[in-house]
Amino acid sequence: MSELVETVSTLPAPTLADPRPRVAAALADDAQLIAACRRGEARAMEMLYHQYKRRVFGMAHRIVGSSDAEEVAQEVFVRIFRALERFRGDSALSTWIYRLTVNASLSHLAKRGRRHEVGDDTLGELPAPPATERDPGLASRIEAALALLPAGYRAILVLHDVEGLSHEECAAILECRVGTSKSQQHKARARIREILGPQLHGHRDTKDGT
Amino acid sequence: MSCDDVRPRLSGYLDGDLDPERGSVVRGHLRTCEACRQIATDEAALRDRLRELAPVDPPASMWAGIQARLAKEEVAHSQRPAWRRALARWAPAAPRFAAGGLLAAAAVALLVWRAQGGPDAAKPVMPDQAPIAASSPTKVTGPTQVVVGADSSTDVTADLATEAARVTATYADAAEELLELAGEARGRWTTEQKDAFDAHVVDLRASITAAAEGRPRQRAWRELIRYLQGAVVRDDITLAGVSQ
Ligand SMILES: [Zn+2]
């Protein structure tokens, strides 16, 4: 019986749904910003840049790696500003920008070929398992494990799990079905759990032992 | 529910994506199955750690780099012939029809037309535009848009009609733009050329109206666009020949 109580208290729980930004308000703000950018207003362009720089650079960084991230992110922003006049505003600006970023990152990888692909070398560089669950080194090990995944898995994990987008948004960005987004994310998580192994839970083994 | 049924649903369960009934079934299984609970615990830890990953700041120099590239591209763009600028504008905007048939067809059309002796036939078609074509803003509204709240198995077919209408609108835009360009070039044409052009455009427009909706009509639109491209390009060649 005490076993059941313990079980209930440690049952992993679903996340509470993130409060989504008010879509209509966001779209209206986007429309204003886009209009100003189209008129070539330097301040608006810089504003748009600062609004999206972390998302674009972070995404590129995690998909193509640190050495090429700036090049890809720059290319994305150039495309954003050059193509903005064709943006019809019938989707969120962020969806479109994420899509440009994912596509630019993936096509950059394809162009680069396999010469820079991470492999066993990177595995060897993974730091030792953590002593405690919450040590800051875990973040860098997760980043390293991310880098070992196939690029498509990296993209879905960053979009859904790091950036916190819904599967509907991911599907719109990746141009796939919602079901595909879900199953890819599931597989990607399974792969990264496999790579990380017990590192995710510094304390679990000891608890199981008691 | 067996372990095999539960495990593919764990990600959805932990993300709060399952409906209450399914969520409750998964939860019930987790209470009694140590193996699945272990996986769920791992997965929940992973979910939390991924969400906590720090944002990555770009180097401070990035904005300057972007501005420099924009300036360079604008200069290059202004030096392109008008018909290339027009194509660059509409080609990336062509939406992709469900499985990409339209975009592929458009790309083939462009390649064929270039191979037949466009002014710089040896160069690839707008290599700088290709990546944009794969990620055009308008395509965000493609079949995937309906997925919001829809069952994943119905998301493509349900929107085909809307998509077809959008495709047509895109063709109409492209044709209009090319017609405008042809209009600019018109002053340099002979009377025979003008008459032939007008007659042919009327014919092609008539066959668009006559064509059945869907693929046949799109084919008719492409015919018109191809013809207009030809007219604009031929004029471009003529001009080059005169000026040299
Ligand atoms: Zn089980």
Side-chain angles (χ1 to χ4, degrees):
Chain A
M1 279 303 114
S2 66
E3 166 75 25
L4 182 62
V5 172
E6 161 81 344
T7 300
V8 169
S9 64
T10 60
L11 205 58
T15 39
L16 294 172
D18 269 345
R20 296 256 150 240
R22 293 152 303 141
V23 177
L27 284 179
D29 290 350
D30 282 356
Q32 279 191 349
L33 190 59
I34 291 165
C37 288
R38 280 181 182 153
R39 291 193 296 270
E41 287 178 23
R43 265 190 44 203
M45 290 172 75
E46 195 165 353
M47 212 160 149
L48 186 143
Y49 168 72
H50 286 298
Q51 203 171 314
Y52 287 97
K53 64 179 179 184
R54 278 182 156 184
R55 280 178 268 185
V56 169
F57 184 77
M59 187 90 212
H61 191 275
R62 288 184 171 119
I63 297 182
V64 304
S66 58
S67 55
D68 292 355
E70 185 178 358
E71 186 193 331
V72 171
Q74 280 196 12
E75 195 184 323
V76 170
F77 276 106
V78 168
R79 285 188 202 173
I80 289 170
F81 290 120
R82 305 273 295 136
L84 209 50
E85 67 177 77
R86 288 195 305 272
F87 181 70
R88 296 183 183 179
D90 36 22
S91 73
L93 180 63
S94 61
T95 303
W96 177 54
I97 291 181
Y98 271 125
R99 176 185 290 192
L100 284 173
T101 309
V102 172
N103 286 351
S105 301
L106 294 180
S107 69
H108 181 85
L109 282 184
K111 266 185 264 166
R112 197 170 68 178
R114 299 199 58 79
R115 74 201 146 90
H116 289 307
E117 275 292 351
V118 280
D120 293 341
D121 296 354
T122 321
L123 257 181
E125 289 164 15
L126 289 179
T132 59
E133 189 190 37
R134 286 258 171 189
D135 80 318
L138 182 54
S140 61
R141 273 188 298 280
I142 287 181
E143 296 274 13
L146 259 177
L148 294 174
L149 296 178
Y153 283 179
R154 253 177 279 164
I156 184 70
L157 277 187
V158 174
L159 288 171
H160 186 280
D161 290 3
V162 181
E163 299 288 327
L165 302 184
S166 69
H167 278 296
E168 283 74 18
E169 289 167 305
C170 293
I173 291 163
L174 300 171
E175 296 182 279
C176 65
R177 297 176 182 215
V178 175
T180 309
S181 172
K182 288 180 179 173
S183 67
Q184 287 295 99
Q185 179 229 9
H186 176 72
K187 286 179 197 160
R189 275 192 185 170
R191 272 295 282 131
I192 200 168
R193 270 196 287 113
E194 227 171 76
I195 293 168
L196 286 166
Q199 297 182 43
L200 267 175
H201 280 274
H203 73 293
R204 198 182 64 200
D205 292 341
T206 45
K207 194 171 80 183
D208 286 351
T210 55
Chain B
M1 238 185 206
S2 73
C3 297
D4 285 346
D5 295 324
V6 165
R7 289 188 188 172
R9 294 191 164 92
L10 280 180
S11 297
Y13 167 71
L14 291 169
D15 293 339
D17 276 350
L18 294 190
D19 58 63
E21 161 62 18
R22 277 189 187 160
S24 149
V25 171
V26 169
R27 204 156 39 241
H29 181 88
L30 290 181
R31 289 190 201 285
T32 56
C33 177
E34 166 68 23
C36 286
R37 195 162 64 237
Q38 200 100 118
I39 291 174
T41 308
D42 272 0
E43 181 119 354
L46 175 63
R47 172 200 62 193
D48 295 342
R49 300 300 157 271
L50 283 169
R51 201 72 188 86
E52 286 164 8
L53 285 183
V56 196
D57 272 320
S61 61
M62 196 161 95
W63 180 231
I66 290 162
Q67 285 174 303
R69 280 173 75 157
L70 273 172
K72 211 172 119 192
E73 288 224 357
E74 247 171 22
V75 171
H77 179 72
S78 71
Q79 288 167 350
R80 272 182 216 153
W83 62 267
R84 278 198 74 172
R85 288 202 302 273
L87 285 180
R89 270 197 299 281
W90 79 263
R96 192 164 61 184
F97 201 87
L102 168 66
L103 203 62
V108 169
L110 283 170
L111 283 168
V112 167
W113 156 63
R114 294 304 291 275
Q116 285 167 347
D120 22 30
K123 294 182 205 157
V125 179
M126 298 179 294
D128 48 337
Q129 295 293 339
I132 299 186
S135 51
S136 139
T138 58
K139 276 193 280 138
V140 179
T141 62
T144 47
Q145 197 201 25
V146 263
V147 292
V148 180
D151 183 279
S152 60
S153 62
T154 61
D155 54 8
V156 169
T157 46
D159 207 36
L160 277 185
T162 329
E163 179 67 8
R166 273 183 10 79
V167 170
T168 302
T170 307
Y171 278 143
D173 285 352
E176 200 173 306
E177 189 147 11
L178 286 162
L179 265 172
E180 240 172 72
L181 276 173
E184 286 170 21
R186 200 180 171 83
R188 297 181 288 265
W189 296 350
T190 65
T191 314
E192 285 89 351
Q193 276 179 321
K194 282 180 199 167
D195 290 347
F197 176 84
D198 291 345
H200 204 65
V201 169
V202 168
D203 281 354
L204 288 169
R205 280 199 181 283
S207 48
I208 291 170
T209 321
E213 262 183 62
R215 296 283 166 117
R217 186 164 295 173
Q218 285 167 22
R219 215 172 297 128
W221 271 111
R222 284 202 293 273
E223 285 248 346
L224 172 64
I225 286 167
R226 237 181 318 231
Y227 177 71
L228 292 173
Q229 286 169 347
V232 172
V233 173
R234 271 196 302 278
D235 185 63
D236 214 72
I237 293 170
T238 312
L239 281 179
V242 168
S243 61
Q244 275 156 21

